[in-house]
Amino acid sequence: MAFPTARHDHSACIQAALDAAEQECRRRGARLTDTRRIVLELVWESHRPVGAYALLESLGKLGRSAAPPTVYRALDFLLAHGLIHRVASRNGFIGCPHPGHAHGGQILLCTQCGMAAELDDPALDQEIVNSAARLGFSVNRQTIEVEGLCPVCRAQRNSEEEQNYVA
Amino acid sequence: MAFPTARHDHSACIQAALDAAEQECRRRGARLTDTRRIVLELVWESHRPVGAYALLESLGKLGRSAAPPTVYRALDFLLAHGLIHRVASRNGFIGCPHPGHAHGGQILLCTQCGMAAELDDPALDQEIVNSAARLGFSVNRQTIEVEGLCPVCRAQRNSEEEQNYVA
DNA sequence: GGAGGATACGTTATAACATAACGAAACGAA
DNA sequence: TTCGTTTCGTTATGTTATAACGTATCCTCC
């Protein structure tokens, strides 16, 4: 999934994710309860990794009394069914735009604006499997988190540099 | 770096790491103080990721009074100079076998025995950079953590399966 | 439609990981 | 030796995650 543009229709974006989740849960015979759906929705509020305690606070504002285990249980469920990804390097979580479709988590993180996007490059997965195999290591799960600048922030930085140059 | 075998000379292994660290610090004009060297040594005690609080406890057993900031400061120093890597998915740290030689952290983690090893595949780095570039993303730093089975544990598991088959 | 097992949830407490802030000490160049 | 910089000790606190236990809800089978 590419980086969301500033003017993408985010409510449609959330709706699509919720629909996909609903469908994936039906397919798997998993129960997408109220709490779980709401947590998923909150994860999707931004395209940035969200922490468990931020979710907790959001839940509170929605009038749902909740303690940490409530949130972590919902997150565990969503993780287990591939509806969200954990961002280990940030202690946060982001929504998965295409659940079901198997993929290791390849995540791009913009250090400037905090936006996250998925990469989903099968060749990359394969390269890791091959490279590991050369050491006799058999791969089970991968965590790939790449920091850098997203297209928007990169453009912005470039134009700032131009201004500095002029001045 | 390949996975350490059971009979590798671990004291030589630690010594090599300490020597390399010493040299790298000299090269950089960085001060490898007592605390920092001891923490590095403790990180190298095993080839498994070590948590900050485990290090803290080890320091205590060595008679060095210490509070969390002492350990985290030492870890920050070691990270900053590339002498250790952070293992985000485990909240732990492992020694870097070849400091100086630039490389993103590509880490293999055995889910069975907990051993960690570095991969260091430049083609992999490049694949990530290229793949990200296709989305207009410029890479700055990568975290690659791969879970699976190390050669030893894989062999062990295979022989267990044979036994099950016989029985 | 009620019994009973499985799954999900609320709640309290605590574990595990990490940093802020401040003053004292050690170091190193002028 | 003095002064600025870096390192360290210490106290307190912030942040992230889980253990444990009882209750409620759901689903199935009779």
Side-chain angles (χ1 to χ4, degrees), chain A residues 20-32 77-78 81 83:
Chain A
E22 199 89 47
Q23 191 182 333
E24 177 65 8
C25 284
R26 212 161 23 234
R27 195 176 72 76
R28 286 166 162 258
R31 285 158 59 190
L32 187 60
F77 172 89
L78 298 170
H81 294 93
L83 304 175

Side-chain angles (χ1 to χ4, degrees), chain A residues 54-147:
Chain A
L55 293 168
L56 192 55
E57 200 174 329
S58 301
L59 275 180
K61 284 181 186 161
L62 291 179
R64 311 209 127 222
S65 93
T70 300
V71 172
Y72 279 101
R73 280 194 283 239
L75 291 171
D76 284 347
F77 172 89
L78 298 170
L79 280 172
H81 294 93
L83 304 175
I84 60 173
H85 294 293
R86 180 171 166 62
V87 185
S89 62
R90 304 289 177 95
N91 295 319
F93 303 84
I94 60 172
C96 174
H98 28 243
H101 162 234
H103 61 298
Q106 304 173 358
I107 300 171
L108 301 179
L109 295 163
C110 180
T111 49
Q112 185 78 28
C113 66
M115 288 285 202
E118 281 199 31
L119 196 52
D120 197 15
D121 173 359
L124 185 47
D125 276 357
Q126 199 51 50
E127 173 67 25
I128 289 179
V129 169
N130 293 343
S131 192
R134 267 174 246 133
L135 296 184
F137 187 92
S138 70
V139 174
N140 193 22
R141 215 172 54 80
Q142 334 178 340
T143 303
I144 301 176
E145 298 174 13
V146 180
E147 285 185 6

Side-chain angles (χ1 to χ4, degrees), chain B residues 2-155:
Chain B
F3 273 91
T5 63
R7 62 183 181 290
H8 86 289
D9 182 348
H10 191 55
S11 62
C13 181
I14 294 183
Q15 195 54 54
L18 289 177
D19 289 349
E22 199 90 45
Q23 191 182 332
E24 177 65 7
C25 284
R26 210 158 26 231
R27 193 175 73 76
R28 286 166 163 259
R31 284 158 61 188
L32 186 59
T33 63
D34 279 3
T35 307
R36 289 165 177 173
R37 188 167 2 82
I38 292 172
V39 168
L40 179 59
E41 207 170 331
L42 290 171
V43 167
W44 273 102
E45 283 242 308
S46 75
H47 288 275
R48 296 174 175 82
V50 197
Y53 280 71
L55 293 168
L56 192 56
E57 201 174 329
S58 301
L59 273 180
K61 284 181 185 160
L62 291 178
R64 310 210 128 222
S65 94
T70 299
V71 171
Y72 280 100
R73 279 194 284 239
L75 290 171
D76 284 346
F77 172 89
L78 297 170
L79 280 171
H81 294 93
L83 304 175
I84 60 174
H85 294 294
R86 179 170 167 64
V87 185
S89 62
R90 305 289 177 95
N91 294 321
F93 303 84
I94 60 171
C96 173
H98 27 243
H101 162 232
H103 61 296
Q106 303 174 358
I107 300 172
L108 302 178
L109 294 163
C110 180
T111 49
Q112 186 77 30
C113 66
M115 289 284 201
E118 281 199 30
L119 197 52
D120 197 16
D121 173 359
L124 185 47
D125 277 355
Q126 198 52 51
E127 174 67 24
I128 290 180
V129 169
N130 292 343
S131 192
R134 267 174 247 133
L135 295 184
F137 188 92
S138 70
V139 174
N140 192 22
R141 215 171 53 81
Q142 334 178 341
T143 302
I144 302 176
E145 297 175 14
V146 180
E147 283 185 8
L149 282 183
C150 75
V152 176
C153 292
R154 202 162 59 144

